[in-house]
Amino acid sequence: MGTSIDTLQELLFDLAGVLPADTAPLFAMTTMVSLETNETYIREGENSRRLAFIEQGVIRTYTIKENGDEATLLLRWEGQFIASHDTIINRQPSRFIYRALEPVKLLQIDYDVLEEILKTHPEYEPLRNFFLMKMLAESLKMLESFVTQSPEERYRELLSNRFDLVNRVPDKYIASMLGITPVSLSRIRKRMYTKRKTII
Amino acid sequence: MGTSIDTLQELLFDLAGVLPADTAPLFAMTTMVSLETNETYIREGENSRRLAFIEQGVIRTYTIKENGDEATLLLRWEGQFIASHDTIINRQPSRFIYRALEPVKLLQIDYDVLEEILKTHPEYEPLRNFFLMKMLAESLKMLESFVTQSPEERYRELLSNRFDLVNRVPDKYIASMLGITPVSLSRIRKRMYTKRKTII
DNA sequence: CCCCTAAATTATCTTTTGTTAACAGCGGAC
DNA sequence: GTCCGCTGTTAACAAAAGATAATTTAGGGG
């Protein structure tokens, strides 16, 4: 009886009116997974089609650039879904690595298994829909920030919206997610906390 | 009998085995819409929940920044879906404007109507799923380009992948979508076509 | 054909970022 | 405690981008 299951049962009831007692076929196919700090969840080139709900901890999704540098695409934490999007959407080996930045607990299901369940239990379909829409909304929000804001503005917004996250994650990953180098982020922080009048 | 309907019927058959003859309930609720060049499809603040499949033409999705400048989030063209994501996903008035850059023909459905249809015709559900996954894949691809590539690299990639698009759309919108100013894009082009040995 | 407008380029100057390397701070291993 | 490795900061210089304005280019309408 994990809190992830409780949360998802509640979500499923709110979305589709499915009673918790009727979710057994779904949760029977989920697995609770624990990851240590720095443990890799999904490797580069891996073909597993994993979808998971994070109960605790932070996972970093990153790729290795041609020059060997890492580029962080996403940071996901408790209460969010995480998915191997290359394998699930594009049906190709994952170009991304998913790694725990802290001890992580997540509730996992194989996407192929989920699809099978959905064939016989279409009442769970709203959950998949919710997950896709949520991911899409978040991606578009981030995309919007790249075309409307400067790196400094993106960092300021991250600070005001996700202060907890910024404090839990090393700056170099934050910088990478903002599309800049750690050196630049350090300079932005310096500008913010010295020159400027408005701290946040 | 529009070609959009043909395309979508084919898609629905491939995705879910639904025969074209069985798609009447869906397409009965769609409308063919024509837009002139520069005609606005969705206004800022609008609450309509429109989902459409573009049969011909290019639509630009942009927002007005605080300083009054425009920022182009997406360019969508024939064969792609377009959706008022603020109203559909976030259930809030659209912060974005959708405007035709060329004469546009699209097949439109109201998302609320689509949801009603899906309740009685769950066999169409894979189509919604396909649309969401497609949009998500594209958003993540763009996001990836922002964290892994420089503006020049993003432009080069756009040239090699979407040469047709670059030639149909004014540079200033391309620049905005790349997250830079038109002046910067002009300089990138100059650097590419003079200094460097590799043209593309 | 000329005029008008919008788009693109160019120029100048300022600001920011990238790159590289040195250095400080900190925590863990021993 | 000392050593080591990782993170973040700082410095110095090069490269790129932003802001602004002037100029050129391209197209459309009369």
Side-chain angles (χ1 to χ4, degrees):
Chain A
M1 181 62 79
T3 64
S4 289
I5 293 184
D6 297 339
T7 307
L8 291 171
Q9 281 179 332
E10 196 176 328
L11 184 58
L12 204 40
F13 179 75
D14 290 345
L15 289 172
V18 177
L19 293 171
D22 299 330
T23 60
L26 176 61
F27 291 110
M29 302 308 288
T30 58
T31 319
M32 205 69 207
V33 176
S34 290
L35 304 169
E36 298 168 22
T37 300
N38 286 327
E39 189 176 341
T40 299
Y41 179 51
I42 296 174
R43 293 192 158 62
E44 195 178 354
E46 195 169 322
N47 284 297
S48 71
R49 308 180 83 204
R50 291 190 197 150
L51 172 61
F53 181 78
I54 304 177
E55 181 169 314
Q56 186 53 240
V58 177
I59 290 184
R60 176 171 77 104
T61 302
Y62 66 100
T63 187
I64 312 286
K65 294 197 280 183
E66 293 169 10
N67 65 13
D69 288 354
E70 296 181 354
T72 298
L73 182 72
L74 297 169
L75 293 171
R76 312 283 288 169
W77 58 93
E78 51 273 349
Q80 297 185 319
F81 291 96
I82 190 165
S84 174
H85 62 273
D86 263 344
T87 58
I88 293 179
I89 305 184
N90 303 322
R91 288 197 167 275
Q92 65 181 28
S94 181
R95 302 182 332 283
F96 293 89
I97 300 156
Y98 297 67
R99 184 183 295 225
L101 290 182
E102 303 172 355
V104 165
K105 286 173 72 175
L106 45 81
L107 188 70
Q108 165 189 294
I109 193 167
D110 185 277
Y111 192 78
D112 296 316
V113 172
L114 176 63
E115 287 214 302
E116 284 308 309
I117 295 175
L118 286 173
K119 280 181 189 164
T120 48
H121 294 276
E123 68 270 22
Y124 303 147
E125 187 67 53
L127 195 61
R128 165 160 67 175
N129 221 268
F130 175 82
F131 144 71
L132 284 172
M133 283 215 177
K134 197 97 175 170
M135 291 272 314
L136 181 56
E138 285 160 11
S139 301
L140 287 172
K141 194 80 200 63
M142 291 178 73
L143 210 50
E144 183 186 338
S145 76
F146 275 104
V147 299
T148 61
Q149 296 179 302
S150 67
E152 176 167 337
E153 288 169 327
R154 286 199 293 280
Y155 181 64
R156 284 173 183 272
E157 195 165 285
L158 203 62
L159 272 188
S160 44
N161 296 344
R162 309 261 181 254
F163 183 76
D164 52 323
L165 185 72
V166 177
N167 273 43
R168 282 165 70 180
V169 172
D171 278 357
K172 58 176 185 168
Y173 303 139
I174 301 286
S176 174
M177 199 178 56
L178 294 173
I180 57 176
T181 61
V183 179
S184 274
L185 178 56
S186 180
R187 285 189 288 230
I188 287 174
R189 288 163 58 87
K190 187 176 184 180
R191 283 202 297 269
M192 283 174 61
Y193 293 108
T194 59
K195 281 184 195 162
R196 310 296 166 78
K197 275 135 195 168
T198 350
I199 301 297
I200 289 179
Chain B
M1 182 62 78
T3 64
S4 288
I5 293 184
D6 298 339
T7 307
L8 292 172
Q9 281 179 333
E10 196 176 327
L11 183 58
L12 204 41
F13 179 74
D14 291 346
L15 289 172
V18 176
L19 294 171
D22 299 330
T23 60
L26 176 61
F27 291 109
M29 302 308 288
T30 58
T31 319
M32 204 69 207
V33 176
S34 290
L35 304 169
E36 298 168 23
T37 300
N38 286 328
E39 189 175 342
T40 299
Y41 178 49
I42 296 173
R43 293 190 160 62
E44 196 179 351
E46 195 169 323
N47 285 295
S48 71
R49 307 182 83 203
R50 291 189 197 151
L51 171 61
F53 181 78
I54 305 177
E55 181 169 316
Q56 186 53 240
V58 177
I59 289 184
R60 176 169 78 104
T61 302
Y62 66 101
T63 187
I64 312 286
K65 293 196 280 183
E66 292 169 10
N67 64 14
D69 289 354
E70 296 180 355
T72 298
L73 182 72
L74 297 168
L75 293 171
R76 311 285 288 170
W77 58 95
E78 50 273 347
Q80 297 185 319
F81 291 95
I82 190 167
S84 174
H85 62 272
D86 262 344
T87 59
I88 293 179
I89 305 184
N90 303 322
R91 288 198 167 273
Q92 65 182 28
S94 182
R95 301 177 339 277
F96 293 89
I97 300 156
Y98 297 67
R99 184 184 294 225
L101 289 181
E102 303 173 353
V104 164
K105 286 172 72 173
L106 46 81
L107 187 70
Q108 165 189 295
I109 192 167
D110 185 276
Y111 192 78
D112 296 316
V113 172
L114 175 63
E115 288 214 302
E116 283 308 309
I117 295 174
L118 287 173
K119 281 181 189 166
T120 48
H121 295 274
E123 67 268 24
Y124 303 147
E125 188 67 53
L127 195 61
R128 165 160 68 173
N129 221 268
F130 175 82
F131 144 72
L132 282 173
M133 282 216 177
K134 197 98 175 171
M135 291 272 313
L136 181 56
E138 285 161 10
S139 300
L140 286 171
K141 194 81 200 63
M142 291 178 74
L143 211 50
E144 183 186 338
S145 76
F146 274 103
V147 299
T148 60
Q149 296 178 302
S150 66
E152 175 166 338
E153 288 169 327
R154 287 199 293 280
Y155 180 64
R156 284 173 184 271
E157 194 165 284
L158 201 64
L159 272 187
S160 45
N161 296 344
R162 309 261 182 254
F163 184 76
D164 52 324
L165 183 73
V166 177
N167 273 44
R168 282 164 71 178
V169 172
D171 278 356
K172 58 176 185 169
Y173 302 139
I174 300 287
S176 174
M177 199 177 56
L178 294 173
I180 56 176
T181 62
V183 178
S184 276
L185 178 55
S186 181
R187 285 189 288 231
I188 286 174
R189 290 163 56 88
K190 187 176 184 181
R191 282 202 297 269
M192 285 174 59
Y193 292 108
T194 60
K195 282 184 193 160
R196 310 298 167 77
K197 273 133 196 170
T198 348
I199 301 298
I200 289 177

